[in-house]
Amino acid sequence: MAEEVKLYGTWVSPFSRRIELALKLKGVPFEYMEEDLSNKSPELLKYNPVHKKIPVLVHNGKPIAESLVILEYIDETWKNNPILPQDPYQRAMILATGWKANFGEGKEREVAIEEFAEQMKFLENELNGKDFFEGETIGFLDIVANLIAFWFPVRQDALGIEAFTQEKFPVLFKWIANITKIDLVNECRPPREKHLAFVKARIEGLQSAPK
């Protein structure tokens, strides 16, 4: 019997995009279900009835929610091309760092500039001269940090601010250059111009909304 793997997400979400990347790195065939979050499907509400959010991975009828939990599940279920270290201590440290780098999944909040800079420096220290967070190949933290590589720059362009620049964070920008050399990574990111237009429209909508 063939495995059934479905991913419920949205094209612009870094949280569902990171699941898409993990599945592709593992070579796992899956069906992608694009969700309209203003009109959520009965399937999404069925599989995530409490939080009603994406991403949701459905494996043989069993739903898993929360992107970091899904990533760990994927690595446990499909053992090829591991994205987490096999050593239990290293694995625990990577998972703890992943939660720190997750920037409040599912929360609509602005990260203060000071807090943002502190988190970026923390991640630069984690890289510590490596091409990727876990060494020579892409792993769990690289997947989680897709938010930094592809979403933060677009958001700051839309807002007209310069909180995240190569001058301030050279180590992270070197890492971004490394991951953008990977074809699968580029397949799992929103088209930049479409993404920028989406973010600008959303910001304009929030600014014009009644106070």
Side-chain angles (χ1 to χ4, degrees), residues 21-184:
L21 176 57
L23 290 169
K24 288 184 176 182
L25 287 169
K26 292 277 189 179
V28 178
F30 66 98
E31 184 178 0
Y32 176 73
M33 315 296 289
E34 176 71 18
E35 282 289 328
D36 177 357
L37 297 184
S38 64
N39 183 26
K40 298 172 184 177
S41 71
E43 290 80 10
L44 177 62
L45 299 178
K46 170 188 172 183
Y47 288 128
N48 194 0
V50 177
H51 299 294
K52 302 177 177 64
K53 293 176 180 176
I54 55 95
V56 175
L57 182 76
V58 180
H59 182 210
N60 294 333
K62 297 177 181 178
I64 306 99
E66 300 291 338
S67 71
L68 298 191
V69 175
I70 297 171
L71 287 175
E72 189 175 6
Y73 176 85
I74 289 171
D75 206 45
E76 291 284 351
T77 304
W78 294 280
K79 300 293 188 182
N80 60 305
N81 300 331
I83 59 175
L84 277 163
Q86 299 306 299
D87 177 78
Y89 178 78
Q90 291 181 348
R91 191 181 185 92
M93 293 301 98
I94 289 292
L95 286 169
T97 303
W99 284 105
K100 288 181 184 178
N102 204 35
F103 298 98
E105 177 176 351
K107 297 177 183 176
E108 292 296 329
R109 70 180 182 92
E110 296 295 333
V111 179
I113 296 297
E114 295 80 7
E115 181 185 353
F116 172 81
E118 185 177 318
Q119 289 171 317
M120 293 303 99
K121 288 298 183 185
F122 168 77
L123 290 174
E124 288 205 318
N125 289 335
E126 289 295 315
L127 277 165
N128 193 25
K130 297 173 290 190
D131 287 342
F132 302 101
F133 281 99
E134 288 149 61
E136 297 180 357
T137 58
I138 187 172
F140 180 86
L141 285 181
D142 302 286
I143 295 170
V144 171
N146 71 340
L147 183 68
I148 299 162
F150 305 124
W151 275 261
F152 283 2
V154 167
R155 185 168 181 81
Q156 76 170 2
D157 284 357
L159 289 168
I161 61 176
E162 292 189 348
F164 186 57
T165 65
Q166 188 166 358
E167 291 72 27
K168 292 177 182 177
F169 305 106
V171 176
L172 279 172
F173 272 79
K174 182 180 177 183
W175 165 76
I176 291 172
N178 288 331
I179 65 167
T180 51
K181 294 174 185 175
I182 302 172
D183 290 341
L184 283 179

